[in-house]
Amino acid sequence: DTEVTQTPKHLVMGMTNKKSLKCEQHMGHRAMYWYKQKAKKPPELMFVYSYEKLSINESVPSRFSPECPNSSLLNLHLHALQPEDSALYLCASSQRVTGSGTGELFFGEGSRLTVL
Amino acid sequence: GQSLEQPSEVTAVEGAIVQINCTYQTSGFYGLSWYQQHDGGAPTFLSYNALDGLEETGRFSSFLSRSDSYGYLLLQELQMKDSASYFCAVSGNQGGKLIFGQGTELSVKP
């Protein structure tokens, strides 16, 4: 199984809503990532988890709250988002954090978020 | 900090060879990766170079020169399905921080 599964595929939410994005992998990977991607732009790193601990937060606003309940799951909790937060949110995993021997990330198909 | 430069667009015909260049600036360089992303799809890993030289995987090859802070992706025998965005990405000394270039949109024409 070489998949990273993300749900939901599409999400529309108002600025006062609370929602969560979910990501799951069963490859035994110990590093998991959240990236944000706007149209025609590269993926932008948001958070990195290594062995279920948050290792990198790229100064992401607190309205985005990551959670790693176990080594297979990664969540992104959303609250009081702004319309400019509308984007494709990509989850990825790797055997270990990039920069320690590999640059290979496995990406999920993403959750396309629209904030009204 | 880290920065990468790659051309924004490249156009080629089916069957041709195309080279997408990437120059980078980073502290504590570990390696250079390449990803392909079709419209509406997820980025897909193509290759990783940590050492100088050429890595070949089927129709795709990737090259790295650490002394020149430069790499390229070479696509041979182009097919229509190769039309996509191609990103170079660097991993540096901050474990987990894979930073992507702006992407090169490749259009393959018949």
Side-chain angles (χ1 to χ4, degrees), chain A residues 33 35 37 40-43 45 48 55-56 58 88 90 97-110 112, chain B residues 30 33 35 37 39-45 47-48 50 87 91-103 105:
Chain A
Y33 310 77
Y35 278 85
Q37 188 176 29
K40 304 292 185 188
K41 294 291 186 184
L45 183 64
V48 180
S55 61
I56 295 177
E58 286 288 275
L88 181 68
L90 292 161
V97 292
T98 56
S100 46
T102 176
E104 181 173 8
L105 298 185
F106 293 80
F107 281 89
E109 293 291 323
R112 190 162 298 282
Chain B
Y30 272 86
S33 307
Y35 286 79
Q37 187 176 27
D39 262 353
T44 304
F45 173 80
S47 68
Y48 175 71
F87 295 94
S91 44
N93 59 2
Q94 191 173 359
K97 198 162 181 173
L98 188 68
I99 302 300
F100 288 78
Q102 292 298 306
E105 191 169 346

